[in-house]
Amino acid sequence: MAAQTIHRQEKEQFIKLFEKDRIDRFEERLAVLELFLASEHHVTASELGALVRQAGRDLSDGFVLETIELMCRYGFAQANQFDDGQVRYEHRHLGQHHDHLICTKCQRIIEFQEADIERLQLKVAASYGFHMLQHKMELYGICGQCLEQREQILSLDAARPGERLKIVAFGGGSQSKLRLLSMGLRVGDEIEVITNIHQGQVVIALDFKRLVLGKGLAQKIRVETIRSGR
Ligand SMILES: [Zn+2]
Ligand SMILES: [Zn+2]
Ligand SMILES: [Zn+2]
């Protein structure tokens, strides 16, 4: 079904349900719903508030948030909280389900549907005698666009948690090279980034061992991405 048709039906149901339950400030709430349906997926309440005011409606963020929470309660919207802690809302269309790929670099959210994954989840649940009702699948990584823009070789302090990398060179003076060698790091080693907090200290895994590197040292390690699935 085309998005426009779905959105018209959503609006009709919204009008019926909200009128029946005598929800207050109905006209204004309907305006918020219309802008929400016309908006990109995954907006925050304050982003939607800005859109509402751009459209010439003098409504507060508080009112917009309250309305969007009502829409969630009636099943027109759905709240998601991804890794950055912000609550984002998206359309909830009956009978439609999708999962998310989230770029940790540019925060882009890509939606996908994969019947095999859906089926396997039910199968896994059933094998535990578990009746699955719903699920969320969020895959974190680096989107194609960010990968393209990114240099092939980067310094370790710019790497992301979960990245698998190969050490291609040590920069810096002989002192830091010696320190890296004494930690057991060699050019050609494959490592995984465990944490990289605020671009400072980096914890990596090498052969099932954790190594902690300060930012200064991490900057001196040149690495290249080992791409998955290629
Ligand atoms: Zn799914
Ligand atoms: Zn990206
Ligand atoms: Zn979505």
Side-chain angles (χ1 to χ4, degrees), residues 97-100 112-114 117-118 121 132 135-137:
H97 167 80
H98 63 259
D99 292 301
H100 296 111
F112 71 93
Q113 286 166 292
E114 178 53 66
I117 291 179
E118 300 300 319
Q121 289 177 124
M132 186 178 101
H135 71 273
K136 281 181 189 167
M137 174 168 291

Side-chain angles (χ1 to χ4, degrees), residues 35 75 193:
L35 285 161
V193 180

Side-chain angles (χ1 to χ4, degrees), residues 47-226:
E47 283 165 359
L48 186 62
L51 286 174
V52 166
R53 286 184 295 278
Q54 257 173 45
R57 290 271 178 169
D58 186 24
L59 299 171
S60 70
D61 274 359
F63 178 79
V64 170
L65 179 64
E66 189 190 280
T67 305
I68 204 161
E69 280 172 351
L70 271 171
M71 291 178 351
C72 286
R73 212 193 301 158
Y74 282 81
F76 292 98
Q78 178 175 319
N80 288 305
Q81 194 165 10
F82 300 122
D83 245 14
D84 66 356
Q86 295 235 58
V87 180
R88 292 171 202 281
Y89 298 90
E90 65 178 325
H91 308 173
R92 179 171 176 185
H93 300 316
L94 302 181
Q96 291 185 8
H97 167 80
H98 63 259
D99 292 301
H100 296 111
L101 303 169
I102 300 134
C103 178
T104 59
K105 194 148 194 290
C106 70
Q107 315 304 331
R108 184 194 314 270
I109 300 163
I110 301 161
E111 300 184 335
F112 71 93
Q113 286 166 292
E114 178 53 66
D116 284 349
I117 291 179
E118 300 300 319
R119 193 176 41 74
L120 281 171
Q121 289 177 124
L122 288 166
K123 194 178 148 194
V124 169
S127 77
Y128 286 88
F130 186 88
H131 176 58
M132 186 178 101
L133 297 175
Q134 49 179 310
H135 71 273
K136 281 181 189 167
M137 174 168 291
E138 293 163 13
L139 306 181
Y140 291 88
I142 301 167
C143 74
Q145 225 163 311
C146 285
L147 266 183
E148 239 167 59
Q149 284 165 8
R150 182 182 222 204
E151 308 216 0
Q152 282 300 314
I153 303 208
L154 60 151
S155 59
L156 181 59
D157 64 309
R160 303 264 147 183
E163 270 199 273
R164 290 186 56 240
L165 304 158
K166 187 165 151 187
I167 298 176
V168 292
F170 292 142
S174 54
Q175 278 244 309
S176 49
K177 278 178 193 161
L178 273 175
R179 271 207 59 201
L180 292 167
L181 286 172
S182 71
M183 292 178 86
L185 287 169
R186 303 268 184 290
V187 168
D189 280 349
E190 294 191 359
I191 58 174
E192 184 184 334
V193 180
I194 306 299
T195 62
N196 182 359
I197 296 163
H198 305 310
Q199 310 275 304
Q201 185 185 67
V202 181
V203 178
I204 59 169
L206 170 73
D207 299 333
F208 302 104
K209 252 189 358 222
R210 290 178 186 76
L211 299 177
V212 182
L213 300 158
K215 185 185 172 91
L217 214 47
Q219 278 172 336
K220 296 190 176 76
I221 303 180
R222 308 292 291 165
V223 289
E224 76 183 355
T225 314
I226 303 170

